[in-house]
Amino acid sequence: MSIRRSGESAGATALPDAIADHPLLRRAPPAFLPYIQLARLDRPIGWWLLLLPCWDASALASASMREGPNVWHLALFFIGAVAMRGAGSTYNDYVDREIDAKVERTRLRPLASGRVTPAAAVGFLVAQCLVGLAVLLSFNGLTIALGLISPLIVLIYPFAKRFTSWPQAILGLAFAYGALLGWTARTGELGAPALFLYAAAISWTIGFDTIYALQDMRDDAIVGVRSTARLFGPRVQLAVGALYAVSAACAAFAVFLAGGGWFAYAGVAAYATHLAWQIAQTREDVAPITALRLFRSNRDAGLLLFAGFFAQSLAFLF
C-alpha cells in the first residue's frame, strides 16, 4: 500500500526538473499524468531545443532564396519536434529505467517508479513515432530519406553514457539533425550552409547538455554514468566556452555561405552574447538550480538566432 500511495503522489507532483505549475500537470486527468511526464510535456525545453535547429535552417534557407518564411513548414516542424522529443524521451527512460531508479533527480520518473509498465511505454513510443512519421511524409523525398536515418542516432544515445565520456556528442548529433531537415525541406538539396548550421547546433547541444549534466555529477559518479561534465571537471567553463565559440563561428559562416544579411548576422551576434552570459556563470560546483536555469535559458539563445534569420527572410517580402 505504501508503494502505491508513493506512486500516486509522484504522479500528481512535478518532477525535479519540470515546470511545477505547468497547465498539463494541473488540468490533465490523473491517468494521463505519467504519460505527460514520460513524454516530457511538462518540460517543454526539450522540444524547444529539438525544434530550433529545424526553424533556424528553414528560416535561413528562405533568406538564402530571397523569399519569405515558409510558415507551414515551421508549423510541421513544431508538431514533429514535440512528438519526436516525446518518443526519444520515452525510449531513453525505457532503456535507463534501472539507472534512473538509483539517481535522486530521476528516481520518480514514470518507468523508474513503476507508474508506467514497460509494455505500456512501448505502445506509447510507437504512437508518438507514428505522429512524427506523418509529419516527415509531408516533406520532399530528400528530407524523408534523411529523416529516416536520424532514429539510428537516437537508438544509440541511451547506451552512450555506459561506454564513453562523450554521450553529449551523440545527443548533439540527434538534436541538431533538424538543421539538415529544415534546409532540405525548403530548398530540396543539402547545401553547405546546412552543414555548418548542423555543426553549430551539435557544438551548442554538447555545451548546454554539459551544463545540464552538472546537476548529476555526484550521483553519476556513484552509479558509473559518464558525461562531459565529469570529464571536463574543473575545466568545464573553458570547455563549454570553446564549444559555444565553435557554435557561434559555425552559425556565422553558415550565414556568410547563405548570402549574409544584417538581420541574420544580428541574430548570430545576439546568440553569441547569450552564450557568453551562460559561460560566465558555468562552474564545476555550480548549484543544481543554477545549472538547470542556465540549461533552460538556451531556448532564448536559440530563439535569438532564429529571430535574426526569420527577420532576414521577412525582409525580402518588402
Side-chain angles (χ1 to χ4, degrees):
M1 289 295 292
S2 62
I3 294 177
R4 188 176 300 114
R5 285 196 298 269
S6 174
E8 291 168 356
S9 175
T13 304
L15 296 176
D17 52 357
I19 297 176
D21 60 346
H22 195 284
L24 286 175
L25 294 179
R26 290 188 280 107
R27 299 175 184 174
F32 289 6
L33 290 176
Y35 295 94
I36 288 170
Q37 293 177 328
L38 194 58
R40 308 285 202 275
L41 295 179
D42 56 336
R43 282 164 280 179
I45 183 59
W47 59 255
W48 270 115
L49 296 175
L50 189 63
L51 171 64
L52 284 164
C54 304
W55 276 9
D56 289 340
S58 180
L60 186 60
S62 294
S64 73
M65 297 165 68
R66 303 300 191 263
E67 296 180 2
N70 188 317
V71 178
W72 174 240
H73 281 187
L74 298 181
L76 285 173
F77 282 126
F78 167 76
I79 296 169
V82 174
M84 295 313 295
R85 166 57 176 165
S89 298
T90 302
Y91 172 68
N92 186 77
D93 284 7
Y94 178 85
V95 173
D96 282 350
R97 60 192 184 277
E98 294 182 4
I99 292 177
D100 284 347
K102 302 174 184 177
V103 176
E104 180 64 26
R105 185 177 58 82
T106 59
R107 64 184 179 83
L108 292 180
R109 285 180 175 175
L111 275 163
S113 63
R115 290 181 290 123
V116 172
T117 65
V122 170
F124 187 49
L125 169 63
V126 171
Q128 293 173 96
C129 287
L130 289 175
V131 174
L133 179 61
V135 169
L136 182 63
L137 294 177
S138 302
F139 296 117
N140 57 46
L142 176 58
T143 304
I144 293 171
L146 286 173
L148 292 175
I149 296 172
S150 62
L152 299 177
I153 305 172
V154 177
L155 290 174
I156 297 171
Y157 171 67
F159 301 99
K161 64 176 71 74
R162 294 163 168 82
F163 63 81
T164 177
S165 294
W166 287 87
Q168 281 70 25
I170 307 298
L171 183 70
L173 292 173
F175 260 58
Y177 205 81
L180 304 180
L181 304 183
W183 186 274
T184 59
R186 192 72 176 93
T187 67
E189 59 184 19
L190 188 59
L195 297 178
F196 277 93
L197 275 182
Y198 186 41
I202 291 172
S203 298
W204 180 41
T205 303
I206 298 172
F208 68 60
D209 202 54
T210 296
I211 293 175
Y212 185 75
L214 290 172
Q215 300 176 88
D216 297 330
M217 287 184 64
R218 180 178 61 84
D219 287 338
D220 283 352
I222 292 173
V223 300
V225 168
R226 302 180 184 183
S227 71
T228 47
R230 291 186 61 200
L231 176 67
F232 297 149
R235 299 182 298 276
V236 68
Q237 184 181 47
L238 178 62
V240 171
L243 288 163
Y244 279 174
V246 169
S247 179
C250 286
F253 198 57
V255 171
F256 172 76
L257 292 174
W262 288 108
F263 288 117
Y265 282 119
V268 174
Y271 171 70
T273 300
H274 193 290
L275 297 185
W277 170 79
Q278 290 183 45
I279 295 165
Q281 301 181 67
T282 299
R283 301 286 189 282
E284 180 186 20
D285 59 352
V286 68
I289 191 171
T290 301
L292 181 59
R293 176 174 57 85
L294 292 173
F295 166 73
R296 285 176 172 170
S297 76
N298 279 282
R299 181 202 64 175
D300 299 333
L303 282 173
L304 288 170
L305 185 62
F306 169 68
F309 295 171
F310 189 81
Q312 190 65 58
S313 65
L314 279 179
F316 295 112
L317 296 179
F318 303 99

